[in-house]
Amino acid sequence: TYYHCTKRVDKNCQQKAIEEKVLEAQILDYLTRIEISPSFHEWAIEALKETNDTEKVSRDKIIKRQRELYDQTLRKLDSLMDLRLAGEITPEEYNGKKTILEKEKHDLNQSLNKTDSKIDDWMKKIEKGLMFAEKARKEFEKGNPDKRREILAGLGYNLELKNKKLIITTEKPLSFAEEAAPVVRDIESRLE
C-alpha cells in the first residue's frame, strides 16, 4: 500500500508516494522517541499533584479576587438601579452606566469561568499526554488500522510528508514528553 498527496490543498503537489511500511516505521520511530516508562509516568503525576497543591493557594487567591470584583459590580448595578428609581439620575445616564457595568459583569463572569475550567483542564491534559506517551508505541504496533489512525491523529495538529519524511508538530504535553524521554531513559538506565 502506498500513500500520496490528495492534492486538495496544493493541486500542483510534486511529493512522491510513500510505502505504508516506510511510513509506519517513521511513526514507530517517533513513538519510540516520545515513549516514557510507567514508573516515570507515576512519578510525573505525583510531582504534578504536589505542584498543583502548592499552586492551589495562589489560584484560590485569584479566584477569590475575581469573585470579589464580580460581587462589587453586582452591588454597583443594584446601587445604580436605586439611583434611577429615586430619580437622582436620568434614563440616559442610567442606560449608559448600566451598559458599562453589565459588560464588566459579563467579562468578570467569563474570566471566573475560564480560570475555573483551566484549573480542571490542565491536569487532565497532562495526564492524557503522559498516558499517550507511555502506551502509544505498543498500541500502534498491536493496533488495527483504525487504532493506528487514532494514534497518528493524537500525535499532533500538523502531520506532513516532505520528501518521504514524516514531519510531526506536536502540542505541549507531547513535545515535553519528546524532550524528557531521552533524559528519563538515561537516568533510568544509570539507576538500573
Side-chain angles (χ1 to χ4, degrees), residues 32-90:
T32 300
R33 286 196 318 249
I34 67 166
E35 186 175 29
I36 60 171
S37 68
S39 60
F40 176 76
H41 180 175
E42 288 174 29
W43 175 86
I45 292 300
E46 287 305 313
L48 288 169
K49 284 179 183 175
E50 288 175 20
T51 301
N52 185 45
D53 291 345
T54 306
E55 292 186 11
K56 187 176 189 290
V57 174
S58 169
R59 287 192 308 262
D60 287 348
K61 286 180 183 177
I62 291 169
I63 289 173
K64 182 180 177 189
R65 180 65 184 143
Q66 288 174 331
R67 172 62 62 195
E68 288 170 355
L69 290 171
Y70 182 80
D71 290 344
Q72 185 180 22
T73 302
L74 289 177
R75 286 191 298 278
K76 286 179 183 177
L77 278 166
D78 290 341
S79 296
L80 184 65
M81 176 61 84
D82 291 342
L83 289 173
R84 178 63 197 122
L85 291 174
E88 295 181 23
I89 60 173
T90 65

Side-chain angles (χ1 to χ4, degrees), residues 5-14:
C5 180
T6 60
K7 300 189 181 194
R8 278 187 289 171
V9 175
D10 181 4
K11 299 211 184 295
N12 299 317
C13 180
Q14 299 297 315

Side-chain angles (χ1 to χ4, degrees), residues 18-179:
I18 185 170
E19 190 176 354
E20 182 176 39
K21 291 175 187 173
V22 174
L23 183 59
E24 285 178 0
Q26 290 180 30
I27 295 167
L28 279 169
D29 178 57
Y30 183 79
L31 292 173
T32 300
R33 286 196 318 249
I34 67 166
E35 186 175 29
I36 60 171
S37 68
S39 60
F40 176 76
H41 180 175
E42 288 174 29
W43 175 86
I45 292 300
E46 287 305 313
L48 288 169
K49 284 179 183 175
E50 288 175 20
T51 301
N52 185 45
D53 291 345
T54 306
E55 292 186 11
K56 187 176 189 290
V57 174
S58 169
R59 287 192 308 262
D60 287 348
K61 286 180 183 177
I62 291 169
I63 289 173
K64 182 180 177 189
R65 180 65 184 143
Q66 288 174 331
R67 172 62 62 195
E68 288 170 355
L69 290 171
Y70 182 80
D71 290 344
Q72 185 180 22
T73 302
L74 289 177
R75 286 191 298 278
K76 286 179 183 177
L77 278 166
D78 290 341
S79 296
L80 184 65
M81 176 61 84
D82 291 342
L83 289 173
R84 178 63 197 122
L85 291 174
E88 295 181 23
I89 60 173
T90 65
E92 293 81 22
E93 290 173 312
Y94 170 77
N95 288 333
K97 290 181 180 183
K98 179 183 172 202
T99 302
I100 291 168
L101 287 172
E102 284 182 340
K103 181 181 180 341
E104 187 178 318
K105 176 185 146 193
H106 178 265
D107 292 347
L108 286 167
N109 191 33
Q110 280 190 321
S111 177
L112 200 60
N113 290 337
K114 273 186 186 175
T115 302
D116 220 15
S117 68
K118 279 183 185 177
I119 292 168
D120 293 337
D121 292 345
W122 81 273
M123 189 70 169
K124 289 177 188 171
K125 190 173 184 178
I126 291 174
E127 170 65 27
K128 185 179 176 184
L130 289 169
M131 184 73 69
F132 184 88
E134 179 187 339
K135 297 182 177 193
R137 183 188 59 81
K138 292 174 190 154
E139 289 180 1
F140 187 85
E141 286 177 332
K142 294 185 228 168
N144 62 28
D146 288 335
K147 184 65 176 174
R148 288 177 170 203
R149 271 192 287 280
E150 179 186 326
I151 291 169
L152 187 58
L155 281 177
Y157 59 89
N158 190 14
L159 304 173
E160 198 175 345
L161 275 173
K162 284 215 175 181
N163 300 323
K164 297 187 176 189
K165 293 282 184 194
L166 180 63
I167 301 166
I168 300 169
T169 306
T170 57
E171 294 178 351
K172 276 191 180 173
L174 285 181
S175 63
F176 291 146
E178 184 177 8
E179 292 172 21

